[in-house]
Amino acid sequence: MGSVLVFIDVPSLPLPRAARELLAIAASIGEPVVASPRPLSGEIAAELGRHGARALYEPARPLPDVLIAAKAAFLAEAVKAAGPAAVLLGNSFEDREVAARVGIKLGSGVITDAVAVAPDLSVTKSVLAGSFTSTCRVETGVPIITVKANSVEPVEAGGGADPERSFVTVPETGPAATVTERSEKRVSGRPELSEARVIVAGGRGVDGDFGPLEELADLLGGAVGASRAATDAGWIEHSAQVGQTGKTVSPQLYISAGISGAIQQKAGMQTAKVIVAINKDSDAPVFEIADFGVVGDLFSVLPQAAAEIRRRRA
Ligand SMILES: Cc1cc2nc3c(=O)[nH]c(=O)nc-3n(C[C@H](O)[C@H](O)[C@H](O)COP(=O)(O)OP(=O)(O)OC[C@H]3O[C@@H](n4cnc5c(N)ncnc54)[C@H](O)[C@@H]3O)c2cc1C
């Protein structure tokens, strides 16, 4: 097997877990090389080398504005330069759009929602809202595969050599859209929802008070998620929404509190390894997919769980 090109949109220090997971998959099937649409500092380049990257591809000139069309144009050129056996990206909306555009540019097949990639490049996917897994393979062009977060253990830093750096010329993508304003996301100190290993999610049952959920999430080093009822009510930002029209998550542990478990909510979280549901209504549909269920008031159950964790840690 030759090289496997990993697209890392925003390489930063420490290297994000999602990037280290992609590097781990790349190393299991070939020689990892990285394409970054942003110029890399020496420290980040060295860190990528310590995590197994043998070569780095960057744009020869900074992209005019790092829009999806420009990222796709860059990645397509990087693929031509690197000649990899496969290309791996994350599974965010944006990464999937980049993958689709590169697929069209290169006439290559694209597989999204992968949870595993075998050395023969057959891909395991989670389909129909996580109810089934399917195995598939790209037959045309260079396989372009987007992989869900938390699918594998990430690669740890070793003593790899500094990777070779190459700069690719990116063709003009023409007028598309212009970014008129950027505002920094409020920093919560919690992990990114789609990468979090633990998520405590609340619905209409929280009645506007996410305090007990935040407390438990912080004790477990997790993120806070929500149903659409909670985000529509304005109790929490829309980026916290889990489900069909929100984020798809696959944490090790998903604690659902005051969420009925509508099909659109399940679509985004039922591939979680362990689901714990807390609901006052013993007939709530969420209990159909829960590994552990607590019939009770979340304002009583969550503080007790937090107190017990503190007691055991003391
Ligand atoms: C096209 C489309 C897309 C959608 N996309 C999404 C999506 O991405 N994500 C999503 O979540 N929804 C989505 N929905 C909405 C979805 O159908 C449900 O309406 C929504 O998930 C309900 O949210 P909920 O469970 O918080 O509220 P409810 O269904 O009202 O449930 C609240 C639950 O809280 C329980 N409860 C109340 N008080 C307490 C308490 N004190 N302690 C414990 N339990 C309590 C109740 O028993 C109840 O089961 C979508 C709908 C459509 C039509």
Side-chain angles (χ1 to χ4, degrees):
M1 181 68 67
S3 64
V4 177
L5 185 64
V6 174
F7 177 73
I8 302 181
D9 190 353
V10 190
S12 53
L13 291 175
L15 216 50
R17 180 185 164 93
R20 292 185 288 120
E21 285 189 31
L22 293 177
L23 286 166
I25 297 174
S28 71
I29 52 183
E31 185 174 273
V33 298
V34 167
S36 163
R38 299 162 207 268
L40 296 168
S41 68
E43 287 87 358
I44 293 180
E47 187 68 356
L48 286 165
R50 279 193 288 277
H51 284 84
R54 305 280 182 84
L56 306 177
Y57 293 86
E58 300 160 62
R61 282 186 294 134
L63 300 179
D65 207 334
V66 192
L67 292 169
I68 292 179
K71 288 179 193 175
F74 156 69
L75 182 56
E77 293 307 311
V79 173
K80 288 180 200 162
V87 181
L88 303 180
L89 300 92
N91 203 53
S92 65
F93 286 127
E94 194 162 317
D95 278 357
R96 280 182 285 167
E97 186 173 338
V98 170
R101 287 172 180 259
V102 175
I104 290 167
K105 283 179 193 299
L106 300 179
S108 289
V110 176
I111 298 176
T112 59
D113 296 333
V115 292
V117 185
D120 67 354
L121 296 180
S122 57
V123 176
T124 307
K125 275 179 66 122
S126 165
V127 294
L128 296 175
S131 318
F132 292 88
T133 52
S134 68
T135 306
C136 45
R137 190 198 305 268
V138 168
E139 299 287 354
T140 308
V142 183
I144 299 170
I145 303 161
T146 72
V147 186
K148 282 187 168 184
N150 293 319
S151 295
V152 295
E153 277 307 307
V155 74
E156 295 305 331
D162 277 356
E164 192 183 311
R165 298 178 74 162
S166 303
F167 298 89
V168 297
T169 305
V170 184
E172 282 291 323
T173 48
T178 311
V179 176
T180 54
E181 192 187 327
R182 287 180 197 275
S183 52
E184 245 177 71
K185 205 173 146 192
R186 201 157 43 89
V187 178
S188 70
R190 298 192 184 104
E192 173 58 33
L193 191 60
S194 45
E195 288 182 18
R197 291 168 72 75
V198 176
I199 294 175
V200 185
R204 204 189 307 275
V206 309
D207 200 18
D209 180 7
F210 269 81
L213 288 86
E214 290 173 345
E215 186 190 5
L216 186 60
D218 288 342
L219 272 172
L220 297 171
V224 176
S227 73
R228 182 157 146 185
T231 56
D232 281 356
W235 298 336
I236 187 166
E237 64 275 5
H238 276 282
S239 58
Q241 185 180 315
V242 172
Q244 185 184 317
T245 42
K247 291 195 173 133
T248 302
V249 297
S250 255
Q252 300 292 316
L253 172 63
Y254 188 92
I255 301 176
S256 160
I259 297 179
S260 58
I263 184 72
Q264 296 89 353
Q265 156 75 194
K266 286 178 183 167
M269 45 66 78
Q270 65 183 4
T271 55
K273 299 278 182 311
V274 175
I275 297 170
V276 177
I278 301 154
N279 199 301
K280 282 202 297 200
D281 175 6
S282 61
D283 291 328
V286 68
F287 288 125
E288 292 163 10
I289 56 160
D291 297 286
F292 300 97
V294 182
V295 179
D297 185 334
L298 70 93
F299 292 103
S300 156
V301 176
L302 291 177
Q304 286 183 60
E308 182 63 15
I309 292 168
R310 280 208 192 83
R311 192 185 67 76
R312 290 188 185 210
R313 284 186 184 162

